[in-house]
Amino acid sequence: MERLEENILIADFMGFEEHKGSYLIPHEENIFWCPDVDLEFNNNWLWLLPVIRKIGGKIGLGKNNTLNQGIKVILESVMYNVDINQVYKSVIEFINEYNKYEAEKISFKERFIEIRDQETSEGKYNEEIRNEQLKIKSNEKENIQ
């Protein structure tokens, strides 16, 4: 992956709006459009630190140890390492893993919905829901008494 692709990966992770190869960048009190070739995540701490803050906010991503370990590595590398290239590399690795994690979550949800819809059309799902609701109601009655 080239630097330009990596910087675009970060801009997308940050949720920056893209329009015709430029990104809307919120910077302190200003907002400006920046061509993708001028993104500076790889060589400017002022650009990279907000990304690290956002990544730090992802601590505890379910039971995904790979992502949580990636967050730990990034935060430690910022604390103990002043080499922006190393931190930048760790950020790119984390975002790639994070994107895989998110894609798997979406894929799982889509598969579940597809199975549910198929079973609903066959009448199986409705029976299971009805049985589950009856169990819940009977448990509620037992707890009240």
Side-chain angles (χ1 to χ4, degrees):
M1 193 180 282
E2 295 180 21
R3 288 283 184 211
L4 176 60
E5 291 173 303
E6 292 171 343
N7 280 331
I8 290 171
L9 180 75
I10 294 173
D12 291 339
F13 174 76
M14 293 299 290
F16 295 162
E17 181 182 336
E18 187 269 338
H19 181 71
K20 295 183 181 180
S22 291
Y23 286 85
L24 188 61
I25 310 292
H27 179 69
E28 295 176 4
E29 296 174 7
N30 301 318
I31 297 176
F32 63 95
W33 284 97
C34 177
D36 56 14
V37 295
D38 292 336
L39 295 171
E40 296 186 33
F41 297 109
N42 62 302
N43 62 13
N44 188 326
W45 284 109
L46 293 175
W47 283 67
L48 193 55
L49 286 174
V51 180
I52 294 165
R53 269 190 231 106
K54 182 171 181 173
I55 289 171
K58 304 281 182 196
I59 289 177
L61 280 167
K63 297 189 184 294
N64 193 311
N65 292 329
T66 304
L67 290 178
N68 288 323
Q69 185 62 29
I71 293 168
K72 183 179 176 187
V73 167
I74 291 168
L75 296 178
E76 286 177 356
S77 66
V78 170
M79 290 171 49
Y80 303 115
N81 191 350
V82 291
D83 181 6
I84 193 169
N85 293 316
Q86 270 310 113
V87 176
Y88 177 80
K89 181 181 172 189
S90 296
V91 165
I92 294 301
E93 289 174 14
F94 171 82
I95 293 173
N96 282 323
E97 286 299 315
Y98 178 78
N99 287 344
K100 287 179 197 173
Y101 169 76
E102 286 296 308
E104 287 173 9
K105 269 189 2 186
I106 290 169
S107 175
F108 175 78
K109 286 179 185 175
E110 288 171 349
R111 283 192 309 250
F112 174 77
I113 290 169
E114 183 180 310
I115 290 167
R116 183 198 65 197
D117 291 347
Q118 180 184 2
E119 290 179 348
T120 300
S121 68
E122 296 171 3
K124 295 176 188 173
Y125 188 75
N126 288 335
E127 277 181 46
E128 290 175 15
I129 291 174
R130 207 170 17 259
N131 290 338
E132 190 62 33
Q133 289 172 340
L134 290 172
K135 282 183 195 174
I136 292 170
K137 286 181 182 178
S138 67
N139 287 341
E140 287 175 354
K141 286 180 182 177
E142 288 175 10
N143 289 336
I144 292 173
Q145 295 171 354

